Amino acid sequence: MFGTSAWVVSGHWPAQGMPWLAWPVHVAALVTVTAEILTRAFKIQASARACAIPLAFGTALRVCLAGDFAAAITPARSGAEPSRFLVLAESGTNAASRVLVLFLELFLEMCSLVVVCTVLAVLFRGRGASVGGLLALVGGYSTFVLGAGAAGWFLSQRNAHGPTPRWATAVGLHAGRWRVVQRTLRSLRDAVQSLRTANPWRMSLAFGGSVLHVCFKVATLPILVFLGDPSFPFTMDTLAPLVLWPLALFYGGVVVPAPGGGGFIEGAFAATLSSAIPAGIFAAALLWWRFYTFYLYILIGGLAAGDAALRALRPAVTPPSAPLPVST
């Protein structure tokens, strides 16, 4: 990633030197990042409480940040859900509730992404091929989430109990591993059934937080560009690529097996946005956009993941026993 960033920046180095963005630009970007994290944590807490799961806001915040950290350092962001699962386990949440919280997080993310992208497609209709690509990306993401949920539900109805099926043995799932899978399937089945009694008002609040989180996620680059260069005109034509392409890179980067995109996101950023961002601030926009949407999450998420690890490794402290009464 560093090598690709250096290559892209060297090819777009402005003649007047690297511009340093003014401090109000960084303040606005930090406020946006903070709002994105808080609304995402609120989404997790509200969806959990809608299903009568007592989840504290601090735990929801650690779930978000630890997941971000693990996603950034693992191939194809594969470590995100296991990390969130472990944080929930450390907090004392039972297995069925953990599965439900994580499933709701993915499901609400998919629904809010569909809503946001539909609105963006209407607003920016006819303004480049990025609209069609974005809709295709949303369709693929939705198909994956719904397909995974449907497959898990189907297996939970047929294979939550009983011996290991032949196909599981063929893929290397012996009896011990299959029992772990069966426990997860039973937890998923119980979680889906508990959705029938979920509080609709709190679930609506969770969905609203999810929509806001997606909006804040894509607001970083427009803030850096328009505040970084006040002379750059603010129109629907100039705004469209700054909103649509980063959104596509956020979710399309999941298919890249290398951790953090392995330079793919930086290269795609240059290929799609070099003509949409003023040349004088393009290099700064790339570097600071990547910092505020990736590297900062590693720093904050690393603290949250380390705190969760220390909590899990800390031995339980038992209160000292009361002294025995002394007979006289």
Side-chain angles (χ1 to χ4, degrees):
M1 290 184 293
F2 285 139
T4 306
S5 296
W7 174 71
V8 172
V9 169
S10 64
H12 295 82
W13 192 267
Q16 65 273 22
M18 175 64 71
W20 295 101
L21 299 178
W23 66 266
V25 182
H26 294 288
V27 171
L30 285 173
V31 169
T32 303
V33 171
T34 303
E36 189 274 329
I37 294 173
L38 293 179
T39 51
R40 189 151 44 103
F42 173 78
K43 171 188 70 171
I44 293 177
Q45 183 193 32
S47 62
R49 294 196 172 182
C51 297
I53 301 174
L55 188 69
F57 185 80
T59 302
L61 191 60
R62 291 198 304 273
V63 168
C64 290
L65 295 176
D68 293 338
F69 174 76
I73 64 174
T74 52
R77 305 180 188 177
S78 57
E81 303 311 320
S83 177
R84 292 168 182 158
F85 190 88
L86 290 176
V87 172
L88 289 171
E90 176 272 326
S91 68
T93 307
N94 60 58
S97 297
R98 284 177 242 157
V99 174
L100 177 58
V101 169
L102 296 180
F103 177 78
L104 284 176
E105 199 272 339
L106 286 174
F107 183 75
L108 290 174
E109 182 88 359
M110 179 202 69
C111 294
S112 59
L113 188 61
V114 170
V115 171
V116 171
C117 291
T118 301
V119 173
L120 293 178
V122 174
L123 290 177
F124 300 126
R125 181 171 48 190
R127 288 180 169 88
S130 55
V131 176
L134 184 63
L135 292 178
L137 174 66
V138 172
Y141 184 82
S142 302
T143 301
F144 170 77
V145 173
L146 291 178
W153 173 253
F154 177 77
L155 289 175
S156 68
Q157 298 299 308
R158 295 173 54 104
N159 301 105
H161 298 279
T164 307
R166 292 182 179 179
W167 63 265
T169 305
V171 297
L173 292 176
H174 54 71
R177 292 179 179 178
W178 182 247
R179 283 194 293 271
V180 175
V181 173
Q182 286 181 319
R183 286 197 297 269
T184 304
L185 291 176
R186 289 193 293 269
S187 298
L188 176 62
R189 183 182 59 192
D190 296 339
V192 174
Q193 290 175 349
S194 67
L195 287 176
R196 300 174 182 175
T197 59
N199 186 299
W201 170 245
R202 288 183 175 177
M203 195 62 72
S204 299
L205 289 177
F207 177 71
S210 185
V211 171
L212 288 176
H213 131 70
V214 175
C215 293
F216 285 125
K217 193 76 172 176
V218 299
T220 305
L221 184 60
I223 287 174
L224 294 175
V225 172
F226 290 114
L227 294 184
D229 186 1
S231 63
F232 188 55
F234 182 86
T235 64
M236 296 297 287
D237 290 326
T238 57
L239 180 63
L242 301 181
V243 172
L244 297 176
W245 280 117
L247 188 60
L249 292 177
F250 282 135
Y251 293 95
V254 179
V255 301
V256 181
F264 166 80
I265 292 180
E266 288 82 358
F269 186 96
T272 56
L273 293 169
S274 58
S275 60
I277 300 175
I281 65 167
F282 178 83
L286 169 60
L287 293 177
W288 286 112
W289 174 77
R290 200 67 171 125
F291 173 78
Y292 285 117
T293 59
F294 181 74
Y295 294 109
L296 183 59
Y297 286 83
I298 292 182
L299 298 176
I300 304 174
L303 296 176
D307 178 68
L310 290 177
R311 287 169 179 264
L313 294 175
R314 188 178 297 122
V317 179
T318 57
S321 58
L324 297 175
V326 179
S327 59
T328 57

